[in-house]
Amino acid sequence: MVEWNCCICIKKIMELFDIFPSAVCREMYEDHMSLKKIVIPMIEDKPLETNGMSEKLFHLDNQSGKSFLHRDGLESFREWLEVQCSEFVRSIGYVLQEKMIVTDSWLNICNEGGNQYPHYHTNSYISGTYYLNFKDGHAPLMFRHSDNSTHSPCPAITLEQDASNPGKYNSDVLVYPNEGELLLWQSNLSHGYQRNELDYRISISMNFMPSLVGNDKYSYRVTSSHEAE
């Protein structure tokens, strides 16, 4: 009689849990059509700057000392943006001594075949984009996981994503905005978009800082250096 000593190996599933999720705010602007009528004439027949990494992506006021949202006629919209950003910061659990202010901003026009390389913003706390013209075929906003990005403040090394095992810990996240919608996120998040399939994807991007940065000992005031044009 033969006795078999059977050993069944059962692989234990590794326990995973999430820490420090990232928040993205989305908010519609009620007076979008009026804003569009103001902005479109501002960009018609104006010299635009071509993006250095995408020949189909163009910018207006994307230079030092410029800020699109500080142009005449955009005061009420800029004030609305600052209110939304202030509420966003408070809603994710942070104390504002005063309010968030737009420190710089620029307009983007992306035509068919254009893209925006994943990047993050420095010298700002919150960044955002408002979608002035967005239709089916325009590229969605992509947030890139920091471990997959060569342009990120976080990882010391970059590992190749396992395409056979995609998941929330290693994959990009696509956000499909609506025309007239504002998206806000913390500025260290790497973001961009892949190939755009339709002309005239028009958006306004901006950075925010608290007007007063402070705690119980140290504080300093932030002001925008841009004059209305």
Side-chain angles (χ1 to χ4, degrees), residues 69-223:
L69 290 170
H70 286 80
R71 289 172 173 259
D72 289 338
L74 298 178
E75 295 86 355
S76 61
F77 178 58
R78 188 175 73 245
E79 181 179 352
W80 178 83
L81 291 170
E82 292 176 346
V83 169
Q84 303 312 307
C85 189
S86 299
E87 289 301 312
F88 173 53
V89 170
R90 293 186 179 103
S91 69
I92 58 176
Y94 294 95
V95 175
L96 278 180
Q97 301 295 332
E98 293 180 349
K99 66 174 186 175
M100 301 295 292
I101 59 171
V102 174
T103 52
D104 59 304
S105 57
W106 57 100
L107 183 135
N108 316 285
I109 301 176
C110 188
N111 290 332
E112 181 180 357
N115 69 288
Q116 175 64 279
Y117 186 77
H119 63 286
Y120 67 98
H121 295 185
T122 58
N123 295 327
S124 65
Y125 185 67
I126 300 293
S127 296
T129 297
Y130 180 82
Y131 292 87
L132 190 77
N133 191 61
F134 194 89
K135 312 293 182 187
D136 289 340
H138 287 150
L141 181 64
M142 174 186 68
F143 288 98
R144 171 140 292 176
H145 196 289
S146 60
D147 289 347
N148 299 330
S149 178
T150 56
H151 191 72
S152 170
C154 300
I157 62 172
T158 299
L159 298 179
E160 182 180 358
Q161 179 182 349
D162 182 359
S164 66
N165 186 30
K168 63 180 179 179
Y169 299 113
N170 69 343
S171 299
D172 298 337
V173 175
L174 298 181
V175 177
Y176 289 84
N178 299 296
E179 179 170 313
E181 187 170 46
L182 169 70
L183 298 181
L184 297 170
W185 60 88
Q186 288 183 285
S187 296
N188 65 320
L189 291 181
S190 187
H191 59 282
Y193 51 89
Q194 297 179 341
R195 179 181 168 86
N196 186 43
E197 301 294 343
L198 186 69
D199 284 348
Y200 302 117
R201 181 191 190 275
I202 305 177
S203 61
I204 303 172
S205 295
M206 72 284 301
N207 290 322
F208 300 85
M209 283 286 286
S211 59
L212 179 63
V213 180
N215 54 29
D216 58 342
K217 278 191 175 182
Y218 307 104
S219 65
Y220 58 91
R221 185 167 295 282
V222 177
T223 59

Side-chain angles (χ1 to χ4, degrees), residues 25-43:
C25 168
R26 57 193 316 169
E27 190 69 32
M28 297 295 297
Y29 184 52
E30 292 183 356
D31 206 13
H32 170 72
M33 294 310 298
S34 296
L35 175 68
K36 198 169 183 178
K37 291 178 181 178
I38 295 172
V39 171
I40 294 301
M42 290 181 175
I43 61 180

Side-chain angles (χ1 to χ4, degrees), residues 44-61:
E44 291 177 343
D45 301 321
K46 297 294 191 303
L48 301 176
E49 174 191 352
T50 303
N51 186 277
M53 302 186 71
S54 177
E55 62 180 11
K56 298 296 182 68
L57 175 60
F58 308 93
H59 308 288
L60 181 60
D61 290 345

